[in-house]
Amino acid sequence: MKVIELSQGGGGVESQQLVQQLFYRHFGNEILLKSEDAAVLSLQGNTAFTTDSFTVSPLFFQGGNIGNLAVAGTLNDLAMMGATPLYLSCAFMIEEGLPFSTLEKVVKSMAEELKKTNAKIVCGDTKVVPQGAVDKLFINTSGIGQVPTNPQAVPSAHRLQKGDAILISGDIGRHGAVVMSARDNMNLQSDLKSDCEVLWPVVESLINKGLSVHALRDATRGGLAAVLNEWAQTSQVCIEVEEDKIPISDAVQGLCELLGFEAYDFANEGTFVMSLPCSQVEDALAVFQQFEFTQQAAMIGKVTEFQPGLVILQTPWGSQRVLELPKGELLPRIC
């Protein structure tokens, strides 16, 4: 079996072959193929810049792998600022002995994910480290995107207003549930897959529709509960959520009841939360219906002045409780 060797990170012939035969082959574009020490980019106006590292275990899970997760995660961070994704950097930290076929499968999935936008990987780095120095494969990606010229069009956690509606783009908790199931060999009997997805196409359509999007956030680590609490505290507003309006699959709900978790705390990698005026809810839901992965989008609550800084969950039985920030490390290395 062909495996990654230390010499392929040494900067010599073997490194050059790995870069050219694998990374250039799948990521190649006019900027990357210049093979300079740094990419020279042409940017106009305000720019969004983000970075993230990915260490998910296991590397492959139902609905994705560390590669498309890395690309989607960084593109989504840009999309949540309303920024058009333009350029990415990508650094691989590879454990000696990793099968070449595994690395190639990851790289191919990254190239496929990039095709969902016009973004390009324009620079990168490869390190091969001795066995045990990393767990198989870690990836860092940074991204640059163009921010809307109008500052009022940039979504922000500071812009939630009384009377706003809170929308969710799909059902929650699938990524966290899938990684947990894969790691613990629970043999979950369902077709549950991670929601890992590039969100820019739907965000771009919302922007092009002319909607006044006040806030956007992908509900990754900490899940829906973390996003809503951060927004309530940052904008000093109350967010009242109707529990029975939050879409949760039976498989995720069943796992939560089995293990004593709440789906609100589980991570998502292709589901986002949005705040906008109530008068625009129907138009927003119509946009969501144009995409396969946002068919379950729903309005789940409103921004009020009831208890500033808190998220209030309205139960189907007429009672209320505070939805708190997740505490502790619910599930490490999910992304």
Side-chain angles (χ1 to χ4, degrees), residues 46-67:
N46 293 330
T47 300
F49 179 38
T50 186
T51 190
D52 208 345
S53 296
F54 297 85
T55 67
V56 63
S57 175
L59 294 182
F60 295 87
F61 45 84
Q62 288 293 328
N65 63 66
I66 191 172

Side-chain angles (χ1 to χ4, degrees), residues 181-202:
S181 302
R183 188 176 301 166
D184 294 338
N185 297 317
M186 297 181 67
N187 295 319
L188 195 67
Q189 298 299 315
S190 77
D191 57 357
L192 189 66
K193 294 181 179 179
S194 168
D195 62 337
C196 183
E197 184 60 69
V198 172
L199 299 173
W200 174 243
V202 64

Side-chain angles (χ1 to χ4, degrees), residues 8-10 15 18-19 23 90-94 103 124-128:
Q8 291 177 297
S15 292
L18 179 66
V19 169
F23 300 122
C90 183
F92 293 87
M93 287 137 279
I94 310 168
L103 181 59
D125 183 47
T126 303
K127 293 289 188 297
V128 180

